[in-house]
Amino acid sequence: MTSEIRPRLSAGSAAVRVGVIYLVARVVTTAFLLLAAELSGFDSRFGPEPTLADFVLGWDAQWYWLVAEVGYPIELPLTDSGAVAENAWAFMPLYPQLAKIVALPFGTFAAGAFVVSIVAGYAASLVLFHLLRSRIDDTAALWAVTFFVAGPLAALFQVGYAETLYLLWLFLALWCVVHRRYVWLYGLIPVMGFTRPGVLAFALFLGLFGIWRWFTRRREPLPAREIVHIVALGLLAAVVGFAWQAIAGLLTGDSGAYLATELAWRRNWIPGEAVFFPFEGFLSATAFWFGAVWHLPVELGYIVLGASVLAVAAVLLFVPQVKRLGVEVRLWSASYVVYLLLVFFPQSSLFRLLVPLSPLWGALALPRSNVWRGGVLVACLVGQWWWIYNMYALGNVIWQVP
């Protein structure tokens, strides 16, 4: 949809080029993981001399393995104080079940999880290229993919997390919206919703997109069938977004089972009875990090939080490179940020939860300077090593949780 006519890569050439970039990035990430294994010691969560398979099954991957092998608890586990303890209901079923099936020829869940993550990661990278090339040229889109696959969170392509599978569905869904292929979304939204949390952000996105389409209908005709699709898909995304809570409540007999499970993790940072209301997570976390941990004025934390929100809004509204990516990417990014502000308790996992904003890599790829693009790539690799070193070589304090 770019106004400039440029030579385009064929689908086959694009698949090969993205594949080469992806393969090189995976070799680099593997080298980083091997180095992290060498540096892992007795104080590390993984102990001395862990293997790559240990990393694949580290952290949340243990929960996915548990879901695949045991399923979900019908009776919620409780702590000594009687509160709901951490349990498998916090993790959606599609990724672990798919990994379990893929693992059958290999005999281990770790192998299945690795294959699903790395294959889905390549597919997501290819879809991201096609999503971005709708707005920017092929060279910039390839650079954006490079930043994506070599970025600070690149280890997720090779460990037992559901992120890459979710990103595949998400990028496909965004591509469908950009190209007005709404019918495919009736299948993509449910698989997205049962891969990991976040489909409610897509419901908000569809609502905002529908409003934008209404106000721009003179520039781009808005037929009745498109209105029906947008409204129906928004409702579907909202229903899917709450479906897992309903399923958990039905099977456990506790209507608040899912929410209580999610809040169980928050007690790792703030002991006591956890409560939820919109924006509460960011407000209480700001007081915790600035006051209890960093010993800074809590008021300063609220100022930083407010300024950060305004800065993100300004970037999405006014930065030319971001505007070049199209209204769909900008509305999705805004919707996802609002979703995080509403429901998330920010801690070190925030870096991982920002990965669905990956289409914004396209904005950093737009400047044509090789110095700039090379500098961004170096920053990505430095960030990747920092993240792997802290989360896998160390992983022994509260801010080293992926």
Side-chain angles (χ1 to χ4, degrees):
M1 293 187 180
T2 178
S3 59
E4 300 181 33
I5 300 176
R6 295 188 178 97
R8 290 292 193 179
L9 292 173
S10 67
S13 296
V16 170
R17 293 197 186 191
V18 170
V20 170
I21 293 169
Y22 189 73
L23 178 61
V24 172
R26 301 286 59 80
V27 171
V28 172
T29 298
T30 300
F32 284 163
L33 289 170
L34 289 172
L35 180 57
E38 287 294 322
L39 296 176
S40 181
F42 288 99
D43 292 334
S44 167
R45 177 185 180 91
F46 293 92
E49 300 180 358
T51 65
L52 291 179
D54 293 328
F55 287 160
V56 171
L57 283 180
W59 297 105
D60 285 0
Q62 286 286 310
W63 289 105
Y64 287 119
W65 171 82
L66 186 66
V67 169
E69 296 299 321
V70 180
Y72 296 93
I74 300 301
E75 184 175 338
L76 293 175
L78 303 177
T79 65
D80 293 339
S81 63
V84 174
E86 298 172 358
N87 66 84
W89 282 109
F91 300 89
M92 305 300 178
L94 186 56
Y95 175 82
Q97 295 304 324
L98 181 58
K100 182 178 181 179
I101 293 171
V102 174
L104 291 176
F106 303 100
T108 65
F109 179 79
F114 171 79
V115 170
V116 171
S117 291
I118 202 164
V119 172
Y122 167 68
S125 303
L126 187 58
V127 176
L128 178 62
F129 169 79
H130 286 287
L131 171 66
L132 292 175
R133 79 187 304 204
S134 301
R135 305 295 183 183
I136 61 180
D137 63 81
D138 285 354
T139 299
L142 285 172
W143 272 104
V145 169
T146 302
F147 300 154
F148 171 59
V149 301
L153 278 294
L156 293 175
F157 291 98
Q158 297 176 221
V159 297
Y161 274 67
E163 263 68 14
T164 59
L165 188 62
Y166 174 81
L167 291 176
L168 172 60
W169 311 137
L170 172 63
F171 295 163
L172 283 169
L174 290 174
W175 184 92
C176 287
V177 174
V178 167
H179 294 278
R180 314 298 188 247
R181 307 287 182 85
Y182 298 110
V183 173
W184 294 101
L185 292 173
Y186 290 98
L188 286 169
I189 286 173
V191 295
M192 191 191 314
F194 287 98
T195 299
R196 68 176 305 280
V199 74
L200 287 175
F202 202 80
L204 175 59
F205 159 66
L206 288 171
L208 295 176
F209 176 74
I211 294 171
W212 175 81
R213 286 288 290 115
W214 176 260
F215 282 104
T216 60
R217 64 189 185 279
R218 291 185 179 179
R219 188 168 68 228
E220 180 187 352
L222 181 62
R225 66 178 180 276
E226 185 173 350
I227 297 175
V228 171
H229 278 311
I230 293 172
V231 172
L233 289 166
L235 292 174
L236 174 63
V239 170
V240 171
F242 289 105
W244 191 241
Q245 299 182 40
I247 292 170
L250 181 65
L251 293 182
T252 63
D254 182 349
S255 60
Y258 176 75
L259 182 58
T261 297
E262 289 287 359
L263 292 176
W265 266 266
R266 190 173 301 183
R267 286 192 292 271
N268 292 327
W269 285 270
I270 302 180
E273 189 64 31
V275 296
F276 172 80
F277 55 85
F279 301 108
E280 182 275 334
F282 265 83
L283 294 175
S284 60
T286 298
F288 169 72
W289 289 106
F290 276 81
V293 178
W294 298 330
H295 305 294
L296 297 171
V298 174
E299 294 79 9
L300 175 62
Y302 295 138
I303 292 172
V304 171
L305 175 61
S308 299
V309 172
L310 291 176
V312 170
V315 167
L316 295 177
L317 286 171
F318 303 118
V319 173
Q321 291 82 359
V322 176
K323 293 172 70 174
R324 282 276 304 277
L325 301 180
V327 70
E328 295 86 359
V329 167
R330 293 161 67 203
L331 287 177
W332 160 251
S333 301
S335 300
Y336 188 70
V337 169
V338 170
Y339 167 78
L340 289 182
L341 288 170
L342 284 169
V343 306
F344 185 59
F345 178 89
Q347 22 79 14
S348 56
S349 295
L350 178 63
F351 297 108
R352 175 171 56 86
L353 294 191
L354 292 176
V355 170
L357 298 177
S358 292
L360 293 177
W361 283 118
L364 290 176
L366 275 171
R368 294 176 179 272
S369 166
N370 290 331
V371 174
W372 166 264
R373 287 168 170 171
V376 174
L377 180 57
V378 169
C380 286
L381 295 173
V382 170
Q384 182 183 162
W385 167 245
W386 179 89
W387 196 80
I388 289 174
Y389 174 70
N390 279 279
M391 307 303 171
Y392 289 94
L394 300 180
N396 51 16
V397 295
I398 61 171
W399 54 269
Q400 292 170 332
V401 181

